[in-house]
Amino acid sequence: MSKHRGEFGSRFGFILAAAGSAIGLGNIWRFPYVAGDSGGGAFLILYLGMVFTIGFSVMVGELAIGRAARRNPVGAFATLKGGAWTYVGYMGVLAGFVILSYYSVIGGWTLAYTWATLGPLLDSSDTGKLGAYFSDFISDPTQTIAYHALFMVITIAIVMGGIEKGIERAAKFLMPVLFVMLVALCIRALTLPGAWAGVEFFVIPDWSRVNADTVNAALSQAFFSLSLGMGALLTYGSYLSRRERLPGVAMWVTSLDTSIALLAGFLILPAVFAFGYDPAAGPGLTFVTLPAVFSKMPGGGLFGPVFFALLSLAALTSAVSLLETVVAYAIDEKSAARKPATLAMGLVIFFIGVPSALSMGPWADIKLFGKNFLDLMDYLASNLLLPFGGIAIAIFVGWAVSQKMLDEVFGGRQTLLAKAWLWMLRTVAPAAIIWILISGL
Ligand code: TRP
């Protein structure tokens, strides 16, 4: 079985691949704009609190399910328990379709900006001009669809290569370079005149701005950024050796992901204030402020394109985990071969993504609940499907699985951490998520 499905070569390789799934547009595109939109400091504290309590616990649970069952999300719930639980797996696969469809559109933006920053875009740090460039770009259907297509083609090609060759190799050499570049960018942004206002905005909580939406945004961002709640990490866990200790692995992934998000926050938000932009500007925030930062760096014309290329690659390692989940389902449950399954699923996802690619251009006026198509997909996935998946995973591991499986997670030791973890999954996490979902309505 494990030979047929493949297995990760080493603990280090697994951590990098799982971090590769977690670290992506969620950290560098989504986190800064949601933080900016949600008022900064208070959001940050709520976010960190959720990541290290609910997020970490659900991650250990999700990895445990995958490893115990050695299957895709649908097959995992079916073999471990069956019955209605199987639908949790289906919900995860559905979330994979939805998320990747618009994720690829944003991934396309990063590819486009790799070329764009090679040209005259970086001549000025005027956020008015950069903002106009951005809105021209996202409203051009030919470009957004073409780059969305390109992003999907690359994702499909990587997933066709299989688990070890494709994912592990890419993740191994990518993440450290991106990290170093982020640190350099952060230093540049923080030393811009006026940047300090951004730091204050980001770290000093303004509790008066906290409401049900802020709490909801923090929870959704935690699930999205950690790749939780849809079975992506469950699927990765299914390729993980039984010898690995899950809490250690999960702590590594959680910490790496969080440090990249924090770096992005200390880069984008200070830049927003230094260049007099609006922190609540929404999904364009990173794409408008980053070029402004590059334009103020010696060698920015080289730094910019390299950075966007690496960001595209980080987005690809996340996209790969999304597609891999859906493909693993087709391979395990429908006995499909990897290549045709990858191609078929990838094509379907591309088509679902087309309305998102048009949603800021020709279809910008088509709105449902006040949201365009891309925002609606993001809301459906991040604010509903992922938290529901999280509740289901918590309750499943907390109440439905065998004692033997629970013992495997902490090596049978009844440590304080093991007890706290189980208690989180049994009561705190489901209750908190349900409460947040209900107050959001
Ligand atoms: N976590 C990734 C990011 O931050 C996106 C992602 C990959 C994801 N796989 C996922 C989100 C599974 C939710 C579920 O960019």
Side-chain angles (χ1 to χ4, degrees), residues 41-386:
F43 171 85
L44 177 65
I45 294 177
L46 290 171
Y47 174 75
L48 292 176
M50 298 214 198
V51 162
F52 286 100
T53 55
I54 300 177
F56 171 76
S57 311
V58 171
M59 186 184 289
V60 173
E62 190 173 328
L63 290 170
I65 297 173
R67 184 170 70 172
R70 305 230 142 243
R71 275 188 178 70
N72 67 90
V74 175
F77 283 100
T79 41
L80 292 180
K81 208 76 195 179
W85 285 109
T86 312
Y87 289 100
V88 179
Y90 283 114
M91 188 172 76
V93 173
L94 172 71
F97 274 93
V98 175
I99 295 176
L100 186 50
S101 75
Y102 69 85
Y103 199 84
S104 166
V105 172
I106 317 284
W109 298 358
T110 62
L111 290 174
Y113 265 66
T114 307
W115 317 141
T117 45
L118 275 173
L121 186 68
L122 303 186
D123 284 352
S124 101
S125 62
D126 179 352
T127 46
K129 276 192 202 146
L130 291 166
Y133 180 90
F134 177 74
S135 31
D136 282 350
F137 167 69
I138 55 167
S139 52
D140 175 0
T142 325
Q143 289 209 56
T144 49
I145 292 179
Y147 281 110
H148 163 48
L150 180 62
F151 190 88
M152 271 318 292
V153 166
I154 305 175
T155 307
I156 291 170
I158 300 177
V159 173
M160 277 188 178
I163 184 79
E164 287 230 302
K165 277 185 283 160
I167 301 172
E168 223 169 300
R169 217 186 270 164
K172 253 181 204 164
F173 96 103
L174 264 170
M175 294 300 122
V177 189
L178 184 71
F179 186 81
V180 172
M181 290 190 87
L182 268 175
V183 172
L185 275 169
C186 233
I187 294 172
R188 173 66 279 213
L190 288 169
T191 50
L192 289 165
W196 198 247
V199 177
E200 287 178 351
F201 174 82
F202 188 41
V203 301
I204 300 178
D206 174 2
W207 295 108
S208 69
R209 298 213 34 182
V210 173
N211 55 29
D213 286 341
T214 327
V215 182
N216 201 317
L219 180 79
S220 309
Q221 177 61 25
F223 272 88
F224 187 90
S225 191
L226 295 171
S227 297
L228 287 181
M230 65 146 283
L233 291 182
L234 186 157
T235 307
Y236 274 26
S238 77
Y239 302 116
L240 188 59
S241 146
R242 299 223 183 255
R243 288 187 305 273
E244 290 316 335
R245 292 196 48 238
L246 299 178
V249 167
M251 190 40 87
W252 266 107
V253 177
T254 308
S255 309
L256 286 171
D257 185 71
T258 306
S259 32
I260 301 284
L262 287 175
L263 272 176
F266 281 112
L267 157 63
I268 303 294
L269 292 167
V272 164
F273 282 81
F275 295 117
Y277 202 56
D278 172 14
L285 199 65
T286 294
F287 288 86
V288 173
T289 49
L290 266 183
V293 178
F294 295 137
S295 76
K296 292 281 187 203
M297 289 175 93
L302 186 69
F303 207 89
V306 173
F307 182 83
F308 273 111
L310 285 175
L311 181 55
S312 312
L313 287 168
L316 279 169
T317 54
S318 303
V320 158
S321 78
L322 288 160
L323 186 56
E324 177 65 35
T325 308
V326 175
V327 168
Y329 159 70
I331 294 177
D332 293 353
E333 306 303 310
K334 305 281 168 210
S335 328
R338 175 172 281 272
K339 287 195 174 157
T342 309
L343 194 61
M345 300 294 174
L347 266 179
V348 173
I349 291 169
F350 167 76
F351 285 111
I352 306 177
V354 169
S356 288
L358 297 174
S359 68
M360 307 211 176
W363 290 11
D365 293 332
I366 306 178
K367 294 207 164 147
L368 217 64
F369 308 113
K371 295 182 190 318
N372 66 33
F373 194 81
L374 194 153
D375 289 341
L376 200 65
M377 290 286 113
D378 185 40
Y379 188 85
L380 172 69
S382 314
N383 295 56
L384 297 174
L385 293 177
L386 298 182

